[in-house]
């Protein structure tokens, strides 16, 4: 036998051996089950009720969050982009008719909007694109404040209605997550992080009433009062429009509100009893409530 023939046989044997070894390894690997919870926080192993409970508890204990997305209230869409923390918040709310920025530092609340937002007020031109102080005595204070209250917004957003079921693992952005649906999604769907603290990452509201992403949990951000030359202090009440209704009510009124004529600047009725308030900005303000999500 020649040296060449021996070399060929040896190479052939090596190839066949490697192939067989590869098949054996592959077969063994296929037989082994990969643990889907490996590297997660373990919340996915819980019942859907427990997952929802842990997500709500994590949200309640958080000191900050970035909330962005849309809500549909009374058939009208609203877009939110808000950063919230325990002592205030800031951001923007858009509707089909108006856009306004809201800022709260401690208990001092500010609104910034175009002149059109303030309706037919004699002062509308002076208020446009300025941060207007909203006095606590004004009927709309609680409505606007709800947009900057982390607990009010999260309490209103994170509710599921109906029998809960757990879905297959997914991702929100780059984060692994587990969804929990109520009544096959008709009662809403909450997607919860499988990494680190089980924070809510995505809330899809019942009846297609909005989709809101929640991110940057616990991340700090600056929150300061606007410069004095950018601020207007209108005293104890916001200005009254020329037709006698509230400036903010005239700008955005008509969005439900019990017996009232509108809901002021809030894009949704609150949980409180609506009243037909009058005065500087009480034309239809939902008096006692402050939940702008309508939850």
């Amino acid at each position: 036998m020649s040296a060449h023939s021996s070399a060929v046989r040896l190479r052939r044997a090596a190839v066949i051996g490697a192939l067989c070894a590869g098949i054996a390894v592959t077969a063994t690997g296929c037989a082994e089950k990969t643990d889907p919870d490996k590297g997660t926080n373990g919340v996915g192993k819980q019942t859907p009720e427990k997952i929802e409970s842990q997500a709500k508890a994590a949200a309640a204990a958080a000191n900050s969050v970035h909330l962005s997305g849309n809500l549909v209230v009374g058939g009208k869409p609203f877009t939110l982009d808000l950063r919230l923390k325990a002592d205030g918040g800031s951001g923007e709310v858009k509707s089909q008719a108006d856009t306004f920025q809201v800022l709260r530092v401690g208990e001092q609340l500010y609104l910034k909007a175009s002149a059109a937002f303030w309706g037919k007020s004699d002062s509308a031109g002076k208020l446009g694109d300025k941060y207007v102080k909203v006095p606590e005595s004004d009927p709309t204070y609680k409505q606007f404040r709800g947009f900057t209250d982390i607990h009010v917004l999260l309490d209103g957003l994170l509710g599921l209605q109906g029998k809960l079921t757990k879905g297959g693992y997914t991702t929100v952005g780059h984060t692994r997550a587990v969804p929990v649906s109520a009544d096959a999604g008709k009662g809403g769907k909450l997607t919860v992080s499988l990494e680190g603290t089980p924070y809510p990452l995505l809330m899809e509201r019942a009846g297609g009433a909005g989709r809101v992403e929640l991110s940057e949990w616990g991340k700090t951000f600056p929150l300061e009062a606007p410069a004095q030359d950018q601020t207007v202090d209108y005293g104890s009440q916001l200005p009254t429009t020329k037709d006698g209704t509230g400036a903010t009510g005239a700008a955005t009124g008509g969005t439900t509100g019990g017996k009232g004529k509108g809901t002021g600047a809030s894009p949704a009725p609150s949980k409180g009893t609506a009243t037909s308030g009058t005065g500087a900005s009480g034309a239809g303000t939902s008096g006692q409530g402050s939940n702008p999500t309508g939850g």
Side-chain angles (χ1 to χ4, degrees):
M1 180 182 298
S2 68
H4 175 73
S5 298
S6 297
V8 170
R9 273 203 297 263
L10 285 173
R11 283 199 300 270
R12 187 182 303 148
V15 170
I16 294 172
L19 180 60
C20 291
I23 292 173
V25 170
T26 303
T28 302
C30 291
E32 293 177 354
K33 292 184 178 180
T34 302
D35 182 3
D37 294 295
K38 184 178 180 179
T40 73
N41 54 23
V43 72
K45 299 178 182 179
Q46 306 293 333
T47 64
E49 291 79 11
K50 188 69 173 178
I51 295 172
E52 181 194 26
S53 175
Q54 290 190 12
K56 284 186 173 182
N63 54 23
S64 64
V65 66
H66 180 198
L67 184 155
S68 60
N70 61 81
L71 299 176
V72 179
V73 181
K76 299 181 179 180
F78 295 85
T79 301
L80 311 177
D81 188 358
L82 302 165
R83 283 179 167 81
L84 312 170
K85 56 183 179 179
D87 60 347
S90 64
E92 185 175 79
V93 179
K94 294 181 180 179
S95 70
Q96 291 177 323
D98 301 291
T99 297
F100 66 88
Q101 295 178 24
V102 61
L103 167 66
R104 180 171 63 86
V105 182
E107 292 305 311
Q108 182 58 65
L109 183 66
Y110 304 87
L111 292 177
K112 183 179 181 180
S114 65
F117 176 84
W118 298 103
K120 299 178 181 179
S121 167
D122 289 322
S123 303
K126 299 177 182 179
L127 301 180
D129 295 323
K130 295 283 189 178
Y131 283 97
V132 179
K133 284 187 175 182
V134 181
E136 292 187 46
S137 58
D138 191 274
T140 60
Y141 178 87
K142 288 184 178 180
Q143 288 286 346
F144 284 112
R145 190 187 187 284
F147 287 112
T148 64
D149 191 311
I150 185 171
H151 299 298
V152 166
L153 277 178
L154 292 179
D155 286 349
L157 283 172
L158 298 180
L160 295 172
Q161 305 166 15
K163 183 179 179 180
L164 303 183
T165 55
K166 179 172 57 176
Y169 290 178
T170 184
T171 58
V172 177
H174 297 293
T175 304
R176 295 181 67 195
V178 56
V180 174
S181 299
D183 285 348
K186 295 179 181 179
K189 182 166 76 171
L190 179 65
T191 306
V192 180
S193 177
L194 286 169
E195 301 176 13
T197 304
Y199 288 122
L201 299 180
L202 176 65
M203 181 67 207
E204 296 167 78
R205 304 191 78 204
R211 183 181 187 275
V212 177
E213 292 189 17
L214 304 106
S215 61
E216 300 179 40
W217 289 98
K219 185 176 180 179
T220 60
F221 61 91
L223 193 63
E224 299 177 353
Q228 188 171 356
D229 61 356
Q230 294 296 312
T231 306
V232 175
D233 187 347
Y234 214 84
S236 61
Q237 285 188 321
L238 294 177
T240 302
T241 61
K242 293 177 181 178
D243 60 6
T245 63
T248 54
T252 60
T255 312
T256 80
K259 295 180 180 180
K261 299 177 183 178
T263 57
S266 172
S270 56
K271 291 181 180 178
T273 302
T275 61
S276 53
T278 59
S281 49
T285 301
S286 299
Q288 301 302 315
S290 59
N291 181 4
T293 67

